[in-house]
Amino acid sequence: GDPPTGRGEAGLVAPGFEVEFEYDANNNVTAIRREDRDQDHGAGTRAEECLIWDLDDGSTYAEVEVETGVTLGTDFRYDPNRNLV
């Protein structure tokens, strides 16, 4: 095949997504909402990702909607030096 050029190909259309971000008082992202305006990416028309932060601004939980009504959650844990483990 041809090597990548780093330029977009003629005729390709950028996905029609609208993205909204929600922040807490410490400027941490607490929610990301995506809307598929073209509705042709197989993930439904809206998806939401939620994040929960601790008092030291370390993310403790993230939840992602992978399809309508189905979410996956991830717990984050830190060592005493605030390294993600």
Side-chain angles (χ1 to χ4, degrees), residues 43-57:
T45 58
R46 291 189 61 82
E48 185 168 344
E49 180 175 345
C50 297
L51 298 114
I52 298 173
W53 301 86
D54 64 16
L55 294 175
D56 294 321
D57 292 332

Side-chain angles (χ1 to χ4, degrees), residues 6-7 13-14 23-24 26 28 32 38-40 43 56 63 79 84-85:
R7 296 185 301 251
V13 178
Y23 299 88
D24 66 11
N26 290 334
N28 295 312
I32 303 169
D38 298 334
Q39 299 181 14
D40 61 357
D56 294 321
E63 184 175 89
D79 67 16
L84 191 60
V85 293

Side-chain angles (χ1 to χ4, degrees), residues 3 8 15 22-23 35 59 70-71:
E22 187 175 300
Y23 299 88
E35 182 174 359
S59 179
V70 178
T71 58

